[in-house]
Amino acid sequence: MLKATLKSLLARKLRLTLSTLAVVLSVMFVSGSLVLTDTLGRTFDNLFANIYTYTDVQVSAKPAVDTAQGGGQDTNTPFPAATVDKVAGMSGVAKATGQVFLNGAQPLGKNGKIVVNQTGQQYGANWTGEDDLVHLLSGRGPQADDEVVINNGLAKTANLKLGEKIDVITRDQQRGSYTIVGLLQYAGGRDSMAGESAIFFTTEKAQESMLGKTGQFNVIDVRAASGVSDDQLRDTVKAGLGDQFLVQTGAELSKESSQGIKDILKYVNYVLLGFGAVALLVGVFLILNTFSIIVAQRTQELALLRAMGAARGQVLRSVLLEALLIGIVGSAFGFLVGLGLGALGARAFVSLADGAEVASLGFPISAVVASFVIGIGVTIVAALMPAVKASRVAPIAAMRESATPDRPLTRLTVSGAILTALGAGALIWGLAGAGGATLALVFLGVLGVLVGVALLTPIISRPVVAAIGSALSWSIPGKLGRRNSSRNPRRTAITAGAVMVGIAIVTAISTIFTSLSTALGDTLDRDLAADVVVLGQQTSEIPPVITPEQLQQIEDLSDVRTTAAFTADAVIVNGEQTFVASYLDPAAAVTVLKLKANEGRIDRLAAGEFMVDRKTADDRKFKLGDTIAVTFPKGQQKTLTLVGITDPTNVAGGIVVDYADAQAGFTFPQPWQAFIAVKDGASVAAVKDQVNEVLKDNPRVQAYTKDEYISTNQQGLDSILVIVQILLLIALFISVLGVINTLLLSVIERTRELGMLRAVGLRRGQTWRMVTTESIVITVFGTLLGLVVGAGLGAAIVTALKDVLGFGAVTLPWVLMVVYFIASIIVGGIAGLIPSVRAVRLNILGAIAYE
């Protein structure tokens, strides 16, 4: 039986190749994502190890509110220079150097725009001279407040040379012009550590522009005396400074920084694994259909083996062994392809960070195990039902010329109907509200309906395929193609099922994000009375702010009626970190943001007061007169009293504090956004141009009309939809393979029939149209089913999450759905090319004599 299985497998190379390719596609996305994250993780481990190679111990003050993103501590809290002297006098310290090193020195290029980089890091620092890490490539250190040294990476990016001028917006939001007196490189000849820009000022200028005043530092670099380990030095300094300071070794800094990047990479991995899950799901249909057809075509062969004495178990094991071998080979190739994809992806990702080197290619155990477990497991599971069917072939079947007919669809139909009914019931119960189990019931219901519909597909296919095929039955080849697609409803259903799954998933996601985008646009249009909005794109932790002078100039414009500006920051409220906002003029905010009083007063605040919206008040159980303890980022601790509650709002919710408190405590108290209402009869476009003229020296912010602002807010959701389209391409590609596979095997199965049709006068072109029609009918059927199921699934999720995510009415992506439908016709035609070519090339006499 083993020899017979191997010979049978090798004798059908086309089927072997197509089945193996299905496994490869199912595995490669999973292995590729795991290889990518492993390679990037080791790359950033190496990168940060290199960055902190020359750091023994680093000291920074613990922030009152930790606003660091992506791991690591926020080291923007300054401390007096006397702290440096204190550390320098401690036992085991060879040298202590006070440093200003902080993100927020934004260089402007020769075109007046900010020179951005992929890392979002634009450091401003004080020049402390050359050391083991930093050396001058040319020039000298800054000696005057209008001189700077820049890293060579920035010089290359902005095309700057020694002696030229560079404009910089520093953390105090002031724009200054500086002469470049030096270019530096880092150890190893690197122009940057990881693609960042770095600008070094004199110490006093760095302190003033980056920390707010002179005589302060935010980092101390501590070198250990001979014979003192980094851990010993850390413990000594920590004991001497107390709990208000964070003292870390270079190794700890490296691990912490790398872990922050790895936490971000986890989400990238989740997205890639989502692609892999879709590929797996569609691949199951492909493999299942392949083995079903193979078993049907080998009926006589298997029956002959039974007649020669093979037991049912032997036949079952024979088919499963074939699946196992295909699974092993497909998994191996899938892992190798994924390995290559992961390596290429890592190189592309790291290329964005100048100076970083990709870690050597590794073979993560997780990727190897996942590849073979998934590949072999999926193949075995998909082949199990065909294998059981093969074991039931009677020996008498060896005497028949054709395969045994499929069993009735009664059991399958009943099972599908029951599962669909149960899923629909769970869905309705969940949507009606079932306490904390709402979401669980909705997702279980969606899953039940999806699987139930898949089981009902064979019975659904008969009338639907007939209807679709009738549109293509204007000729004899069209009629034959329609009847061929209706001949075996199980096979048609499984083939169309692969298309259905991909289309359904993509349509559901598109429905969700289209509904969310529409709800966002409707909310902003309804609840915002602004005609012009001023905002910037935040590319780093430094917000794009509007200076008070610019805001005043905007308010003084003759056609401006009202201007409402606000800022926000992270604070600690009653021991919990949260974001709070602050309006420069609450009365203007009430007008422009359409705020309505629910309780108390909302048109003015005084120091020590705050207001909230009704939803926040209910969630936090606030009532008028309640107080909260707030710790601001700059360290101030205040008790604030609730004086006003607004009606629920989706535009300006949350906690709002007085601007005097924000100015004293926020890291960046300048306004982030400004909402402008123009006077009646004034031109909105003209006001927008006037505002942009005011902002011409502030390259980080820009004025937009209301419609442009809404569109800008929807862009993030549109980006996700682009990812969804890529997901669709992957699903369709695998689905095309499924259709090709089915039709190729069907052509082989119908060799004699095709020969007879050709013998009685069916021409080559007609044969091509017949097979292509069959392909289009199957693909369109799967697409229509996927569109219906996906739209229903998406609508159910939107309805279930209406209160959670603020959805409005369900919005179906009609344009995308039409595009999917048209694409399915094109895809069906393409999928039919290869099988139709094979059918056309059949030798008529050989085909008639087949078998």
Side-chain angles (χ1 to χ4, degrees), residues 250-394:
E252 290 171 338
L253 287 166
S254 174
K255 181 178 180 181
E256 182 180 288
S257 300
S258 179
Q259 187 58 48
I261 297 293
K262 289 179 179 178
D263 290 341
I264 296 174
L265 291 178
K266 283 194 303 186
Y267 296 100
V268 176
N269 196 33
Y270 293 154
V271 173
L272 294 175
L273 288 176
F275 283 78
V278 173
L280 281 174
L281 199 56
V282 179
V284 167
F285 283 88
L286 205 167
I287 299 168
L288 174 61
N289 209 20
T290 299
F291 276 93
S292 296
I293 298 174
I294 288 174
V295 168
Q297 292 178 353
R298 294 172 57 195
T299 298
Q300 286 184 294
E301 176 188 326
L302 297 173
L304 186 60
L305 291 174
R306 290 293 312 280
M308 294 172 63
R312 285 190 174 184
Q314 287 179 301
V315 174
L316 176 67
R317 288 192 294 272
S318 173
V319 177
L320 291 180
L321 176 61
E322 187 172 336
L324 175 63
L325 294 175
I326 290 173
I328 292 173
V329 174
S331 298
F333 278 106
F335 170 74
L336 292 176
V337 174
L339 190 67
L341 290 176
L344 289 174
R347 288 190 177 278
F349 192 96
V350 174
S351 66
L352 301 176
D354 180 41
E357 295 182 2
V358 183
S360 59
L361 187 62
F363 293 84
I365 297 299
S366 59
V368 177
V369 172
S371 296
F372 283 91
V373 169
I374 290 174
I376 295 173
V378 165
T379 310
I380 293 294
V381 169
L384 188 59
M385 285 194 295
V388 171
K389 182 178 179 180
S391 68
R392 293 174 177 171
V393 174

Side-chain angles (χ1 to χ4, degrees), residues 10 124 175 289 464 522 551 611 785:
L10 295 174
R175 178 172 178 168
N289 209 20
V464 177
D522 291 344
L551 187 62
M611 64 182 185
L785 199 58

